[in-house]
Each structure stands twice: as C-alpha cells, then as structure tokens.
Amino acid sequence: MTPERSGCLESLVEAILQVDRPHPVRVAIDGPDAAGKTILADELAPLIERSGRPVVRASVDGFHRPRQERIALGPESPEGYFRDSFDYPALRATLLDPLGPGGTREFRRLVFDFRTDRPVAAPTETTPANAVLLFDGVFLLRSELIDLWDFSVFVAVPFAETRRRAAARDLAPFGNRDELLHRYAVRYVPGQQLYFRLAQPLTKASAVLDNQDPDRPRLRIRADH
C-alpha cells in the first residue's frame, strides 16, 4: 500500500472514530459501480478493529429486490436501476434501524441473494453499542436513507474509469465485453447520473475520496461532518 493511500485510510478511521453515538456508528460507503467501495470498506475494517471497536461489514448487494421487480421498467432502464434495484424497507428493518437510536442491536446482514434470486435466511446477530457498521453500496445517500447514516464516504471515480474497471472485473455476469459496456452505457451510468441529479451525494457525504488513482487517492472531509 502506498503512503498516500495509507494516510487517507488513517484519516478516515480517525474521523469515523470521532463520531460519538450511544448506538453503533453506521457508516455508508457510497459511489458508482466499480469505484472501489468494497475494497475501501475491507481496508477500513481491520484498522477500526485495531482501535478496539467491533466492526459489522455488510453491503447493499444483500438487499436486492427480486429480478422481476428490478427489471419491471426493462433490463436497460436507468430509472429502473435507480428506483427498483433494492429493498430499502428491509434494509431499514433488519439492519439500519436495529443499529440506530433506540434499536435492539439485533440485526441481519442480508436478506436476499441476487445471484440465485432467492431470499436468504441469514442468522440474527447482536453487536455491542460501540460497534461500527461499514456498509458499502450504490445510491446510499438518497432521500430514503440519508438520515440513517452517522458518517458517510463517497468514493468518486469518473465514469470512463468505472467502465474500464468493470470491463476487467465483471465480464462473467454479462457474457462478453460488448454486452457489459452496452449495459453500463444505457443503464448503470445513466442511473448513476439520475442519482447525482436527484440526491447530490457529493454535497451530502461526510467525506469524499477521489479514487481515480487508488494508489494516490485524495481525501476531503467536511468540517461539519
């Protein structure tokens, strides 16, 4: 790991650990597809644990809606991608509310497997009040969720770069590179652009990580986070 990336991670950990709540601190790690959200969350987890705080890792990928609902507006619809992909009531009920103010701290990490298109009977777990939830995914700073986060990071990467990364990473679900690039062009990137217009996540995030060059990221933390 480069010194630049290590320094960004340490600054993020310091900012997260400064958040004082009587319940687990719920951290959103938002950003476009293939921006590096999961990698960032996985890097932050052991650093936070090193401080003595338990970490709960989860992802919006565990809260998909059934495929028939996700593509109700068509498999290439950007509006369908933004509006119909995820089950936000289930995310609130099973994870974010239990870890929030007055919550029981009994939670489930996921409820649905989008690969098999079936619900998942994940076990109920309990975490202490000083835990930190690191939750990665797309569209996390939208109106339905914005008030449920205690800290948020937006991982910013230009769409040309996210398409390049996706072409190297995500071929299997699409079958070939041309189909992947087509789907990004007509569904995923326009869906993110719709999210940017409606939610303005860059202005709402507690911190923005410019991750165009993962070895030399640039971090900006809002003074009023």
Side-chain angles (χ1 to χ4, degrees):
M1 183 181 295
T2 63
E4 294 93 335
R5 187 162 188 88
S6 179
C8 284
L9 294 177
E10 292 291 349
S11 295
L12 272 176
V13 169
E14 181 180 1
I16 291 168
L17 294 179
Q18 286 177 352
V19 179
D20 185 18
R21 297 289 187 274
H23 56 77
V25 173
R26 299 161 299 174
V27 179
I29 300 180
D30 190 18
D33 307 273
K37 303 178 297 297
T38 301
I39 290 173
L40 177 62
D42 288 344
E43 289 173 329
L44 291 173
L47 300 179
I48 293 173
E49 289 174 334
R50 189 176 66 189
S51 75
R53 301 278 293 275
V55 170
V56 176
R57 276 288 286 119
S59 171
V60 79
D61 283 342
F63 295 88
H64 275 83
R65 297 171 67 185
R67 185 175 187 277
Q68 188 172 2
E69 297 177 14
R70 299 199 306 269
I71 64 169
L73 296 181
E76 297 186 352
S77 168
E79 184 173 357
Y81 177 47
F82 173 63
R83 300 193 185 281
D84 298 333
S85 290
F86 303 104
D87 188 342
Y88 298 119
L91 173 56
R92 288 197 60 154
T94 62
L95 183 61
L96 297 183
D97 284 345
L99 299 187
T104 63
R105 303 199 308 274
E106 295 180 352
F107 68 94
R108 295 169 63 203
R109 295 175 193 255
L110 71 164
V111 299
F112 197 86
D113 185 341
F114 71 92
R115 297 172 183 83
T116 61
D117 202 33
R118 294 178 180 275
V120 174
T124 298
E125 304 175 62
T126 303
T127 195
N130 70 335
V132 175
L133 169 67
L134 294 176
F135 189 88
D136 68 87
V138 295
F139 307 144
L140 298 186
L141 302 184
R142 60 193 297 152
S143 60
E144 296 95 323
L145 301 176
I146 187 65
D147 293 333
L148 301 173
W149 307 113
D150 305 298
F151 190 91
S152 57
V153 183
F154 190 89
V155 184
V157 177
F159 290 126
E161 174 62 12
T162 62
R163 286 193 295 265
R164 186 195 68 79
R165 294 180 190 179
R169 183 193 74 176
D170 295 336
L171 280 181
F174 296 93
N176 62 73
R177 187 174 185 273
D178 289 343
E179 177 59 25
L180 180 149
L181 292 177
H182 172 73
R183 194 66 63 88
Y184 265 76
V186 300
R187 180 174 171 90
Y188 298 122
V189 170
Q192 283 287 340
Q193 291 169 332
L194 176 62
Y195 171 53
F196 277 39
R197 289 196 301 273
L198 294 178
Q200 300 182 353
L202 285 164
T203 69
K204 295 178 181 177
S206 309
V208 175
L209 182 74
D210 180 340
N211 201 43
Q212 181 171 2
D213 181 351
D215 287 334
R216 294 169 181 81
R218 292 176 295 174
L219 178 66
R220 176 174 57 84
I221 299 177
R222 282 174 43 189
D224 62 344
H225 73 83

